């Protein structure tokens, strides 16, 4: 089943012109499509998006363009995953892999160290603001091996952040899961749990 274009239109409608996403996030999703589907998938995706060249890693690009790319990528990737939601989660996970391979992500890992999810996620708003220009994120400690993140003013779908946050837990801890709950179109809560 293809991605929900009505949902995409609603998310694009709440984007402001100043809402941006870093280029390496676009490139991470592109790389996932290339890896899983090959050039036929990337050609289809770029043709639908009317993109002539790949974004530059740390340049900023419109969030609405990223949403279009994400939903197109999910449609291209859907046959590779159990559901469209899982394809969107995989796109989110790919952006975290790209982040931790970047200079900024690599430096962050050296500063906070592997195995310390609460230490990393307590700075979620600062970290995320290096990646996007919109929204506010906050951290709530729920005791041992659990925390709750609040993403306000963020137009990305819940599944995208579930994939990204679960992948971050795997990088930091080797296991764990993020479960999202939509409070509003631009407000999601994410319960993170690990052992």
């Amino acid at each position: 089943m293809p991605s929900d274009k009505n949902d995409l239109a609603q998310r694009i409608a709440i984007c402001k012109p100043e809402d941006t996403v870093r280029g390496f996030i676009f490139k991470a999703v592109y790389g996932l499509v290339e890896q899983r589907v090959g050039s036929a998938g990337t050609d289809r995706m770029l043709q639908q998006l009317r993109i002539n060249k790949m974004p530059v890693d740390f340049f900023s690009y419109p969030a609405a363009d990223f949403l279009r790319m994400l939903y197109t990528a999910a449609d291209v990737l859907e046959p590779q995953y159990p559901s469209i939601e899982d394809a969107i989660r995989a796109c989110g996970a790919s952006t975290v892999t790209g982040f931790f391979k970047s200079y900024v992500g690599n430096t962050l890992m050296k500063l906070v160290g592997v195995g310390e999810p609460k230490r990393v996620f307590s700075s979620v708003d600062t970290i995320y603001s290096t990646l996007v220009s919109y929204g506010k994120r906050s951290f709530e400690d729920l005791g041992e091996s659990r925390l709750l993140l609040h993403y306000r003013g963020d137009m990305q779908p819940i599944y995208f952040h579930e994939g990204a946050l679960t992948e971050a837990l795997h990088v930091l801890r080797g296991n764990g899961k993020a479960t999202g709950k939509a409070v509003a179109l631009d407000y999601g809560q994410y319960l993170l749990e690990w052992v």
Side-chain angles (χ1 to χ4, degrees), residues 99-168:
F99 175 71
F100 283 115
K101 287 181 181 177
S102 74
Y103 176 76
V104 172
N106 197 304
T107 303
L108 174 69
M109 289 302 289
K110 288 177 183 169
L111 291 172
V112 299
V114 176
E116 298 292 335
K118 287 188 181 182
R119 191 168 169 192
V120 172
F121 289 116
S122 68
S123 300
V124 68
D125 196 50
T126 303
I127 294 166
Y128 215 84
S129 67
T130 67
L131 310 174
V132 301
S133 67
Y134 54 82
K136 281 290 190 200
R137 286 132 205 102
S138 60
F139 163 90
E140 189 178 333
D141 191 338
L142 299 179
E144 190 175 339
S145 303
R146 295 179 77 223
L147 61 91
L148 186 66
L149 298 176
H150 300 268
Y151 282 29
R152 291 176 174 88
D154 191 312
M155 73 290 293
Q156 301 301 331
I158 293 292
Y159 308 117
F160 177 79
H161 288 305
E162 282 181 342
L165 294 167
T166 296
E167 182 65 15

Side-chain angles (χ1 to χ4, degrees), residues 7-178:
D7 182 65
L8 172 60
Q10 289 177 43
R11 292 179 186 286
I12 288 173
I14 63 173
C15 289
K16 298 180 201 86
E18 64 271 17
D19 293 342
T20 60
V21 175
R22 296 284 185 190
F24 86 85
I25 296 177
F26 284 79
K27 288 172 78 172
V29 172
Y30 178 90
L32 176 65
V33 171
E34 186 174 49
Q35 175 190 13
R36 297 299 301 255
V37 183
S39 61
T42 56
D43 290 348
R44 177 178 157 208
M45 187 173 64
L46 294 178
Q47 188 176 48
Q48 286 185 11
L49 296 171
R50 298 179 192 102
I51 295 176
N52 296 329
K53 61 182 181 175
M54 259 301 105
V56 177
D57 281 1
F58 281 95
F59 284 19
S60 295
Y61 299 90
D65 288 351
F66 179 72
L67 283 166
R68 288 182 192 93
M69 181 180 196
L70 175 63
Y71 280 66
T72 302
D75 289 340
V76 171
L77 289 166
E78 183 187 13
Q80 305 291 315
Y81 293 92
S83 68
I84 198 75
E85 293 84 4
D86 286 320
I88 293 172
R89 284 185 190 99
C91 290
S94 74
T95 66
V96 169
T97 305
F99 175 71
F100 283 115
K101 287 181 181 177
S102 74
Y103 176 76
V104 172
N106 197 304
T107 303
L108 174 69
M109 289 302 289
K110 288 177 183 169
L111 291 172
V112 299
V114 176
E116 298 292 335
K118 287 188 181 182
R119 191 168 169 192
V120 172
F121 289 116
S122 68
S123 300
V124 68
D125 196 50
T126 303
I127 294 166
Y128 215 84
S129 67
T130 67
L131 310 174
V132 301
S133 67
Y134 54 82
K136 281 290 190 200
R137 286 132 205 102
S138 60
F139 163 90
E140 189 178 333
D141 191 338
L142 299 179
E144 190 175 339
S145 303
R146 295 179 77 223
L147 61 91
L148 186 66
L149 298 176
H150 300 268
Y151 282 29
R152 291 176 174 88
D154 191 312
M155 73 290 293
Q156 301 301 331
I158 293 292
Y159 308 117
F160 177 79
H161 288 305
E162 282 181 342
L165 294 167
T166 296
E167 182 65 15
L169 283 172
H170 290 183
V171 169
L172 295 167
R173 190 75 185 175
N175 65 61
K177 183 175 181 179

